[in-house]
Amino acid sequence: LFNSQLNKSRCYSSESGSSGEIRALLAKLLKDPKNIDLNDQIYYVLGEIEQKEEREDKAIEQVNKSLRANTNNSTQKGLSYLAIAEIYFKAREYRLAASYYDSTIASLPKDYTDYKRIENTQQSLAELVRRYNTIARYDSLLRMSNLTKEQLDKKLEEIIAREEEEQKKKKAAEEAEMAKQDALAFSGGSNTMSTTNQGSSGNGQWY
């Protein structure tokens, strides 16, 4: 039933009318506790709908929810990364696209149908970004060579501050992911302990 409802949602096109009914169906699926391990697929389909309606920012938002909801479905995780990569690629945001293509390749199984094509795109984009970064670095150094000492010191302070801010964001994201994994582990451990307690409370052996 779940798959048939999800496939029905995937068949939506912007030409067929309002997506209100499909969105309501997907919202209902999200609220069902039985689907908690499938929420990543539901959010992914919501992202597809946003793309079909040409709301790329909303599409990225929904697909990011898919990534956060993902537990152990590496193929779905790879497809979510790919969806965001393609949005950024289409918008010519090549650096962002390259990063998401890297994550796509790291997540998708190598026997995935389109893996080779995706890998070729990822490698080509990585080379493009490498060259772009080289040109940008030389341009930046050339501009900096024309600065006064005071201007150069100020510029270096800005670069250091930006690097520190990026490191803080990266650390915060890593800590959030670790907290999520710890919460999942604790939840599983609590269930196990609860079962153990129930099985041995009669004779007090748990203590």
Side-chain angles (χ1 to χ4, degrees), residues 24-70:
L25 171 62
L26 294 171
K28 184 179 179 181
L29 291 175
L30 283 172
K31 290 178 182 178
D32 190 338
K34 296 195 299 293
N35 296 329
I36 191 166
D37 290 334
L38 303 169
N39 281 355
D40 54 346
Q41 297 180 48
I42 301 170
Y43 282 122
Y44 179 78
V45 174
L46 281 167
E48 287 183 324
I49 292 172
E50 297 293 359
Q51 272 191 276
K52 289 174 181 177
E53 296 184 343
E54 298 182 354
R55 289 194 289 263
E56 277 73 16
D57 288 347
K58 290 290 185 181
I60 291 173
E61 182 181 320
Q62 293 295 347
V63 179
N64 272 321
K65 288 180 181 179
S66 170
L67 288 168
R68 289 195 293 271
N70 191 285

Side-chain angles (χ1 to χ4, degrees), residues 113-176:
T113 307
D114 236 9
Y115 187 90
K116 194 62 184 175
R117 179 191 64 80
I118 297 167
E119 186 180 43
N120 288 338
T121 302
Q122 178 256 341
Q123 291 174 352
S124 299
L125 197 54
E127 178 62 19
L128 173 66
V129 170
R130 187 188 67 79
R131 293 183 180 183
Y132 177 83
N133 287 341
T134 299
I135 293 169
R137 183 166 62 251
Y138 283 130
D139 284 349
S140 178
L141 289 172
L142 186 61
R143 287 194 299 272
M144 289 173 69
S145 68
N146 295 320
L147 298 177
T148 65
K149 184 179 182 305
E150 292 75 16
Q151 290 172 326
L152 183 60
D153 288 343
K154 182 180 179 181
K155 186 69 175 178
L156 290 174
E157 287 174 2
E158 291 174 356
I159 293 172
I160 292 169
R162 187 163 60 245
E163 287 290 333
E164 288 177 346
E165 184 63 27
E166 288 178 1
Q167 287 298 320
K168 285 180 183 178
K169 288 180 180 179
K170 183 179 179 181
K171 184 178 179 182
E174 290 173 350
E175 289 176 350

Side-chain angles (χ1 to χ4, degrees), residues 2-14 22 25-26 38 40-46 48-49 52 66 76 79-80:
F2 174 84
N3 287 331
S4 65
Q5 290 174 319
L6 213 59
N7 289 332
K8 176 184 177 183
S9 301
R10 283 198 166 106
C11 291
Y12 165 77
S13 67
S14 55
I22 298 296
L25 171 62
L26 294 171
L38 303 169
D40 54 346
Q41 297 180 48
I42 301 170
Y43 282 122
Y44 179 78
V45 174
L46 281 167
E48 287 183 324
I49 292 172
K52 289 174 181 177
S66 170
Q76 179 57 62
L79 291 174
S80 295

